[in-house]
Amino acid sequence: MKLEELVKRLDAEVLNAAEPLREIEGGYCGDFLSFVMSRAPEGSAWFTVMSNVNVIAVAVLAEVGAVVLCEGVRPDPAMLEKARSENITVIATKLPAFEAVLRYN
């Protein structure tokens, strides 16, 4: 699914649209960074409540298609700055992670 469709389904806000036409394929939900690094599928949407700069480092390593901040979480300024410099898409939704994943699916 395209980023635009993901944003619509999650009633989300785009905080950094690195690749707005990128196809998002699959998803991963988790906050344990080492799990995300080793288990998130490439090109997937990563659903998380973590909002620090380390999220972007993991997103780069895992090659995820987008980071989805759930439950109204907002990124800290360093995270957003790093997302811009590393070309990582970040969106935010007020939905709980479980509901966000259900709507994505």
Side-chain angles (χ1 to χ4, degrees):
M1 115 180 17
K2 298 283 186 215
L3 177 63
E4 181 179 286
E5 178 64 22
L6 178 63
V7 169
K8 188 176 180 180
R9 284 188 189 188
L10 301 180
D11 192 25
E13 174 187 1
V14 178
L15 303 176
N16 188 55
E19 297 179 66
L21 300 178
R22 183 173 183 171
E23 193 72 25
I24 304 299
E25 304 170 2
Y28 189 83
C29 186
D31 299 315
F32 198 48
L33 298 180
S34 62
F35 272 46
V36 177
M37 282 189 288
S38 63
R39 298 176 183 182
E42 182 179 333
S44 65
W46 171 20
F47 296 83
T48 185
V49 295
M50 295 191 60
S51 62
N52 62 51
V53 71
N54 294 333
V55 168
I56 302 306
V58 170
V60 170
L61 288 171
E63 299 181 19
V64 298
V67 173
V68 182
L69 299 176
C70 301
E71 303 195 29
V73 169
R74 302 301 294 182
D76 69 28
M79 178 188 174
L80 210 47
E81 182 179 322
K82 191 69 170 172
R84 289 183 184 116
S85 71
E86 293 290 347
N87 207 33
I88 297 293
T89 295
V90 179
I91 67 173
T93 181
K94 292 181 181 177
L95 296 171
F98 183 78
E99 188 175 339
V101 170
L102 288 175
R103 284 194 188 185
Y104 169 77
N105 196 28

